[in-house]
Amino acid sequence: MQILAIDLGKFKSVACLFDTDRQEAQYKTISTTAAAIEQLLHQTQPNKVVIETCTISGWVYDLCQGQGYAVVVANPSNEAWQWRNVKRKTDKDDGLKLAKLEALGQIDPVHMPTQQMREYRRLVKYRKVLVGRVNQIKNSIRALLDAHGKSLSSGNKAWTQAGMEQLESYRKSYAECSLEELWRGELDVELTLLDSLWQQRARVDQQLEAMAKQDERVQRLMTIPGVGRRTAEVIATMIDDPHRFEHGRQVSAYAGLVPEQRQSGQTNRLGAITKRGSRLLRGALVEIAWMLLRYNPWALTVYQRIYAGQKTRKKTAIVAVARKLLVCCWAMLKHKQDWNPPLVAATST
């Protein structure tokens, strides 16, 4: 069998054609372009193509599948892929190791969403990026005013109509500023950027809102008391195909919400959660778990049962609520059922 392993790079990639019968490998360096990869596939005609997860693996996966080849996507963060105690590590070594691991059946394939789902995910993540940029500018404005002895309302009050009117009274264009007032020009630039980012975030929200109304999965998750559109779309896009998980433990591990385990002989220790997988998904689940304590009786019951009045168990309890919520969302998507409090309560005890 011929296995073509491609160590993808931003500009150049190294391909390793491994013959499993003769245990021989041939290497070729190509430019990372669609035309070069198509030519490589035509020349080698492999039985299987293996690539790593990276920023460009999506279109490479689509290209190879479009040419009719079986494609395996490997996660280089898995234990079998780690390089330890080696004196040499090159792109050729990466390609050969990737091919040999696949030949030995040591690669757990990574799920590759469709192009439409990848774009949906990207838009959800991009909204988070815009929120971060808005907060960064808000912090810069606060720091600028603090440095010049100007007070600004605390919290969100600073960004209400009254707060913005106060900021408008401070701003000036650089052409109108004296040497003692250059900070007002800086404030003018920051407020211009802030206004632009608010507009762009509104456009992204408008697009996501329209997509959510057409997405049955998002609408189903929004039947959970306390879960809004933003959390629902994060969960729906990250889980993608719920049938790829066999049970709740797998989906919990996918989000990094299971504890690390160290077992040896009679010793079995459970540590902190692994924090593997999507940070966006994990953060959204923990954030909404705190909100659910106010609006969802089921979540409050789970939290109180694990918390048991011990202050040191608050974080443990809220992570448990987040994990159980994720499993419930996965089950709802898999079985196409809306939120059912009696059923959830019966299966969560």
Side-chain angles (χ1 to χ4, degrees):
M1 183 172 68
Q2 300 278 342
I3 298 177
L4 178 64
I6 307 177
D7 183 55
L8 296 172
K10 184 176 180 180
F11 302 107
K12 291 186 178 296
S13 300
V14 175
C16 172
L17 183 64
F18 183 67
D19 191 317
T20 58
D21 298 326
R22 294 182 296 177
Q23 295 292 302
E24 294 180 354
Q26 300 177 11
Y27 302 95
K28 185 175 183 179
T29 301
I30 62 173
S31 60
T32 309
T33 62
I37 294 178
E38 283 184 5
Q39 183 179 6
L40 176 67
L41 294 173
H42 179 72
Q43 292 174 349
T44 57
Q45 298 288 316
N47 301 101
K48 188 178 295 185
V49 179
V50 188
I51 59 177
E52 298 175 334
T53 54
C54 59
T55 56
I56 64 174
S57 58
W59 68 263
V60 176
Y61 176 88
D62 293 340
L63 188 152
C64 294
Q65 273 214 328
Q67 297 291 324
Y69 293 96
V71 186
V72 175
V73 183
N75 185 357
S77 64
N78 285 345
E79 289 297 323
W81 181 247
Q82 300 301 312
W83 291 86
R84 293 189 178 93
N85 301 323
V86 295
K87 295 183 178 179
R88 189 187 74 167
K89 179 185 178 300
T90 64
D91 291 339
K92 288 185 177 181
D93 296 328
D94 284 341
L96 180 60
K97 185 172 185 178
L98 196 61
K100 286 186 175 181
L101 286 175
E102 174 57 27
L104 294 173
Q106 295 297 310
I107 292 180
D108 294 327
V110 175
H111 171 71
M112 179 61 69
T114 62
Q115 183 179 3
Q116 292 81 2
M117 182 54 62
R118 293 200 302 269
E119 293 300 321
Y120 196 175
R121 277 187 182 183
R122 184 177 294 276
L123 187 59
V124 171
K125 292 179 179 178
Y126 186 60
R127 187 199 176 279
K128 186 71 172 179
V129 171
L130 290 179
V131 171
R133 291 176 181 174
V134 167
N135 291 335
Q136 183 179 12
I137 291 181
K138 286 181 178 180
N139 292 335
S140 297
I141 291 175
R142 287 188 180 277
L144 180 63
L145 292 181
D146 288 341
H148 293 83
K150 305 297 182 181
S151 61
L152 191 63
S153 301
S154 60
N156 292 327
K157 293 181 180 179
W159 317 109
T160 60
Q161 182 177 358
M164 293 304 296
E165 289 177 355
Q166 180 185 5
L167 290 172
E168 287 289 335
S169 66
Y170 293 144
R171 71 187 298 182
K172 285 185 179 180
S173 65
Y174 274 116
E176 300 173 344
C177 293
S178 63
L179 291 179
E180 293 80 10
E181 295 180 324
L182 289 178
W183 66 272
R184 296 180 184 269
E186 183 179 344
L187 177 62
D188 179 63
V189 173
E190 293 290 332
L191 288 175
T192 302
L193 292 174
L194 181 61
D195 184 62
S196 176
L197 283 173
W198 273 339
Q199 294 180 16
Q200 299 306 320
R201 190 180 66 179
R203 292 181 182 178
V204 172
D205 273 327
Q206 185 179 7
Q207 179 64 33
L208 288 173
E209 180 70 28
M211 296 172 67
K213 290 180 179 179
Q214 303 297 324
D215 196 319
E216 179 185 355
R217 302 165 306 165
V218 175
Q219 296 299 317
R220 175 164 288 113
L221 294 179
M222 289 175 63
T223 62
I224 303 175
V227 174
R229 189 212 79 209
R230 295 172 186 172
T231 303
E233 63 194 11
V234 170
I235 297 174
T237 55
M238 294 303 168
I239 290 181
D240 190 14
D241 180 12
H243 297 282
R244 63 191 177 105
F245 301 107
E246 296 181 2
H247 44 72
R249 292 189 299 275
Q250 285 188 350
V251 71
S252 300
Y254 171 75
L257 291 173
V258 294
E260 294 182 347
Q261 185 177 18
R262 294 291 184 269
Q263 184 177 16
S264 178
Q266 300 299 320
T267 303
N268 185 20
R269 296 180 179 177
L270 297 178
I273 58 174
T274 62
K275 294 186 179 180
R276 293 183 178 180
S278 171
R279 181 183 300 177
L280 177 62
L281 174 61
R282 191 166 52 254
L285 287 167
V286 173
E287 181 178 352
I288 198 62
W290 286 110
M291 296 294 295
L292 289 182
L293 300 183
R294 299 172 55 187
Y295 303 104
N296 196 312
W298 163 80
L300 182 60
T301 301
V302 173
Y303 176 80
Q304 291 177 339
R305 175 169 56 84
I306 300 175
Y307 167 46
Q310 302 180 36
K311 293 183 179 180
T312 57
R313 293 185 60 82
K314 281 187 176 182
K315 291 184 179 180
T316 302
I318 208 66
V319 170
V321 173
R323 182 186 63 80
K324 289 179 179 292
L325 173 63
L326 176 62
V327 174
C328 289
C329 292
W330 163 73
M332 291 168 62
L333 295 176
K334 183 176 182 180
H335 301 293
K336 297 184 178 181
Q337 295 181 350
D338 292 344
W339 179 258
N340 187 340
L343 179 60
V344 172
T347 56
S348 298
T349 55

